[in-house]
């Protein structure tokens, strides 16, 4: 059992939690490997300034060297090393596939005889025979990795055209980030399952030879052997079902749109045959929403342009991701894009933030009292009431609160503040200051509290204590992250 750590710097506001924050997310994604199943990701590193293709995990990374950002000697990454392509059989169809995988629209010129200089690494490919319709280099036939009779003086090159726009590049990066998040979230949840399955398979490997070595198999031994082998088949099927394919919503807004799935190096749509709310629920949960509110058919969000990848999807609603649902098979369908399926996901905007101040020049209480705040400066979501001094949580989650207390020219009046949740003491003596030797006292404190939906928070001033206002006594808070 191996793992690799992937670090993604996300500079985009998420629809769930942490708004307007730049943060770094670390995911450790396990890769399970036994004699029957082995999955891994090959990472290609290149020098600064190279444009390197990045598509699905099984794509072959490509870069251009010795020229410009759109023209150069073609190099591919294989077996941990960059290498060149021999120009035997090199034509515009090969170049078209290379450029498309690099993110360009098409190829304009092919080059032979090391036009951009000779490479120094291995010559990996020769007799490449793309038709021009392939999505990436991995789909093209060739003479075999390293099976060449060429020299570097025959290194192939290409010139590409139609540089992707900044918007397209950002969309690609966004798709890759979303795909990473989806993979990480699901695989992290499957860690314990995979570990348990690995232990069971190891036990099976131990048990089966013991039965086979018996001189005479009794009927119960045969039955037990059949059960063991059946369990092994089931486990292998379950492992295969764990393959996760990223999805996205297109043509709508943050929580609605045409459903597209990433498979075999390209985005494609889903046919609306048998498409229902259970299918939509699985899609929405994979995207991070709590539930679905609608399943759309007949290209409600416009027709897609890529392949139709799924048809007759039959989710029950409990699957962890869309690719775990039964369907006719990848790209097996009898549909047109006018039947593209869509979803509407349950979107809660739990924006909540407030800041309020006490304007009274003197506020002394003879009994325990919830402090009202006559000046409300900010009240995003309208979840704070100045008259009652109460903030009510719109959703369950973690909230940040800060209180700054001020008492001036109040003789022996001191500050004694309790933080209250649902009118019960949550933090006794959250803020306390009592110094009669000076003309004023000031103090502040902050806290992070988990609240359930409709819980309410307030500030209580203890009996016999006081505060001053002049807007220097303030109470503020905001939602950090909802559950």
């Amino acid at each position: 059992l191996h793992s690799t750590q992937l670090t993604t710097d996300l500079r985009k506001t998420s629809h769930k939690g942490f708004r307007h924050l730049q943060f770094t997310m670390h995911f450790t994604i396990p890769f399970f490997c036994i004699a029957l199943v082995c999955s891994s990701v090959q990472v290609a590193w290149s020098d600064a300034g190279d444009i390197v293709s990045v598509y699905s995990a099984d794509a072959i990374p490509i870069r251009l060297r010795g020229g410009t950002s759109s023209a150069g000697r073609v190099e591919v990454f294989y077996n941990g090393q960059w290498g060149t392509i021999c120009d035997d059989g090199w034509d515009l169809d090969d170049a078209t596939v290379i450029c498309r995988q690099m993110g360009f629209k098409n190829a304009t010129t092919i080059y032979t005889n090391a036009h951009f200089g000779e490479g120094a690494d291995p010559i990996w490919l020769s007799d490449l025979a793309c038709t021009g319709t392939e999505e990436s280099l991995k789909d093209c036939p060739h003479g075999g990795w390293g099976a060449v009779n060429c020299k570097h003086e025959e290194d192939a090159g290409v010139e590409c055209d139609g540089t992707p726009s900044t918007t397209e590049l950002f969309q690609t990066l966004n798709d890759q980030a979303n795909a990473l998040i989806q993979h990480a979230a699901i695989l992290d949840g499957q860690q314990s399952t995979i570990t348990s399955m690995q232990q069971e398979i190891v036990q099976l490997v131990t048990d089966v030879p013991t039965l086979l070595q018996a001189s005479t198999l009794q009927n119960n031994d045969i039955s037990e052997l059949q059960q063991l082998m059946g369990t092994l088949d089931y486990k292998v099927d379950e492992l295969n079902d764990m393959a996760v394919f990223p999805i996205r919503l297109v043509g709508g807004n943050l929580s609605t749109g045409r459903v597209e799935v990433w498979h075999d190096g390209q985005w494609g749509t889903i046919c609306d045959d048998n498409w229902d709310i259970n299918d939509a629920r699985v899609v929405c949960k994979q995207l991070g929403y709590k539930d679905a509110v609608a399943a759309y058919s007949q290209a409600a969000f416009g027709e897609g342009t890529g392949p139709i990848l799924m048809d007759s999807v039959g989710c029950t609603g409990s699957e962890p991701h869309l690719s775990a649902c039964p369907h006719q098979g990848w790209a097996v369908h009898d549909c047109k894009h006018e039947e593209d399926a869509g979803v509407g996901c349950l979107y809660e905007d739990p924006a909540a933030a407030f800041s309020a101040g006490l304007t009274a020049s003197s506020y002394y209480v003879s009994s325990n009292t919830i402090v009202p705040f006559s000046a409300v400066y900010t009240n995003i979501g309208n979840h704070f009431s100045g008259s009652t001094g109460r903030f009510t949580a719109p959703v369950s989650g973690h909230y940040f609160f800060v209180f700054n207390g001020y008492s001036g020219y109040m003789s022996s009046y001191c500050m004694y503040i309790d933080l209250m949740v649902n009118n019960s003491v949550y933090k006794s003596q959250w803020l306390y200051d009592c110094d009669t030797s000076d003309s004023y006292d000031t103090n502040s404190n902050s806290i992070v509290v988990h609240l359930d939906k409709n819980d309410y928070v307030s500030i209580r001033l203890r009996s016999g204590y006081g505060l001053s206002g002049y807007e220097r006594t303030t109470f503020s808070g905001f939602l950090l992250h909802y559950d």
Side-chain angles (χ1 to χ4, degrees):
L1 185 65
H2 306 283
S3 66
T4 184
Q5 178 168 301
L6 305 180
T7 302
T8 300
D9 186 16
L10 302 180
R11 302 173 186 269
K12 181 179 179 183
T13 300
S14 169
H15 76 270
K16 182 173 182 179
F18 300 104
R19 282 171 175 73
H20 312 296
L21 297 176
Q22 175 178 311
F23 57 95
T24 301
M25 302 184 71
H26 300 270
F27 301 114
T28 299
I29 303 180
F31 297 97
F32 183 58
C33 186
I34 59 173
L36 296 173
V37 181
C38 185
S39 175
S40 64
V41 172
Q42 194 175 51
V43 180
W45 298 97
S46 186
D47 299 333
D50 289 336
I51 294 182
V52 181
S53 64
V54 180
Y55 275 82
S56 59
D58 59 346
I60 301 170
I62 307 170
R63 69 181 182 183
L64 302 179
R65 303 304 303 272
T68 66
S69 61
S70 59
R73 178 178 66 253
V74 180
E75 296 190 357
V76 298
F77 191 80
Y78 177 73
N79 200 27
Q81 192 172 8
W82 288 100
T84 62
I85 298 177
C86 178
D87 62 14
D88 289 353
W90 184 248
D91 60 21
L92 195 59
D93 289 335
D94 304 321
T96 298
V97 176
I98 295 291
C99 291
R100 183 184 300 122
Q101 183 173 335
M102 296 286 293
F104 298 95
K105 304 297 183 184
N106 50 60
T108 58
T109 310
I110 63 169
Y111 296 94
T112 59
N113 300 323
H115 179 84
F116 294 99
E118 297 183 8
D121 297 315
I123 303 174
W124 281 129
L125 295 174
S126 180
D127 298 311
L128 197 61
C130 304
T131 65
T133 61
E134 294 85 355
E135 286 296 326
S136 63
L137 180 62
K138 72 179 179 62
D139 302 316
C140 299
H142 52 78
W145 289 100
V148 298
N149 58 351
C150 306
K151 298 180 179 179
H152 277 297
E153 62 189 29
E154 302 171 76
D155 284 344
V158 68
E159 182 173 355
C160 304
D161 190 26
T163 305
S165 65
T166 302
T167 300
E168 291 172 326
L169 289 174
F170 272 110
Q171 182 60 50
T172 299
L173 290 173
N174 183 60
D175 290 343
Q176 292 170 357
N178 285 334
L180 176 62
I181 292 171
Q182 291 178 40
H183 274 278
I186 294 172
L187 289 175
D188 183 62
Q190 293 170 344
Q191 174 66 61
S192 60
T193 302
I194 290 175
T195 302
S196 174
M197 290 167 58
Q198 186 185 36
Q199 292 172 350
E200 290 183 31
I201 290 175
V202 170
Q203 185 61 46
L204 289 172
V205 172
T206 303
D207 292 343
V208 171
T210 301
L211 287 171
L212 293 178
Q213 290 171 5
S215 58
T216 303
L217 288 177
Q218 303 298 322
N219 289 336
N220 60 336
D221 293 328
I222 296 175
S223 175
E224 185 177 353
L225 177 60
Q226 290 173 337
Q227 291 177 6
L228 288 172
M229 298 310 295
T231 301
L232 180 58
D233 290 339
Y234 170 79
K235 294 301 181 182
V236 172
D237 290 341
E238 190 173 345
L239 279 174
N240 291 332
D241 288 341
M242 284 186 175
V244 181
F245 296 91
I247 54 177
R248 67 181 182 182
L249 301 182
V250 180
N253 54 36
L254 188 65
S255 59
T256 62
R258 180 177 65 252
V259 182
E260 296 191 354
V261 58
W262 178 269
H263 179 261
D264 199 23
Q266 58 188 330
W267 288 104
T269 62
I270 300 174
C271 181
D272 62 12
D273 291 349
N274 301 325
W275 187 251
D276 61 20
I277 193 66
N278 287 328
D279 304 317
R281 284 195 175 101
V282 175
V283 168
C284 291
K285 285 190 294 183
Q286 183 173 340
L287 289 171
Y289 297 96
K290 290 187 176 180
D291 202 355
V293 295
Y296 296 95
S297 58
Q298 298 180 342
F301 298 97
E303 298 183 7
T305 58
I308 300 174
L309 290 175
M310 301 179 78
D311 187 15
S312 298
V313 178
C315 303
T316 65
S318 61
E319 293 83 357
H321 50 85
L322 182 63
S323 52
C325 299
H327 55 90
Q328 287 190 357
W330 291 106
V332 178
H333 65 90
D334 58 351
C335 308
K336 298 180 180 180
H337 278 298
E338 62 190 29
E339 302 171 77
D340 284 345
V343 298
C345 300
L346 177 61
Y347 175 63
E348 297 177 329
D349 184 2
F354 74 94
S355 181
L358 179 68
T359 59
S361 59
S362 177
Y363 189 77
Y364 168 80
V365 297
S366 57
S367 62
N368 293 342
T369 303
I370 300 299
V371 179
F373 292 86
S374 51
V376 179
Y377 313 120
T378 299
N379 196 6
I380 298 175
N382 294 316
H383 303 297
F384 180 77
S385 170
S387 61
T388 63
R390 175 186 294 181
F391 169 80
T392 303
V395 293
S396 298
H398 287 85
Y399 294 80
F400 175 85
F401 298 100
V402 59
F403 177 78
N404 183 74
Y406 174 83
S407 62
Y409 310 103
M410 299 184 68
S411 183
S412 62
Y413 297 160
C414 304
M415 287 183 291
Y416 195 140
I417 298 296
D418 297 324
L419 180 69
M420 311 291 288
V421 175
N422 297 334
N423 215 32
S424 297
V425 176
Y426 181 85
K427 192 73 173 179
S428 178
Q429 197 173 324
W430 186 41
L431 188 149
Y432 180 82
D433 197 312
C434 192
D435 184 357
T436 60
S437 63
D438 53 18
S439 58
Y440 68 88
D441 296 312
T442 182
N443 207 336
S444 63
N445 207 349
S446 60
I447 194 170
V448 174
V449 180
H450 182 274
L451 301 176
D452 291 328
K453 184 176 181 179
N454 295 325
D455 283 351
Y456 55 92
V457 176
S458 52
I459 298 296
R460 187 176 75 173
L461 180 62
R462 288 284 188 97
S463 173
Y465 293 85
L467 290 169
S468 292
Y470 305 108
E471 301 184 5
R472 285 171 288 192
T473 293
T474 60
F475 181 35
S476 304
F478 58 89
L479 171 65
L480 279 173
H481 185 261
Y482 72 90
D483 296 342

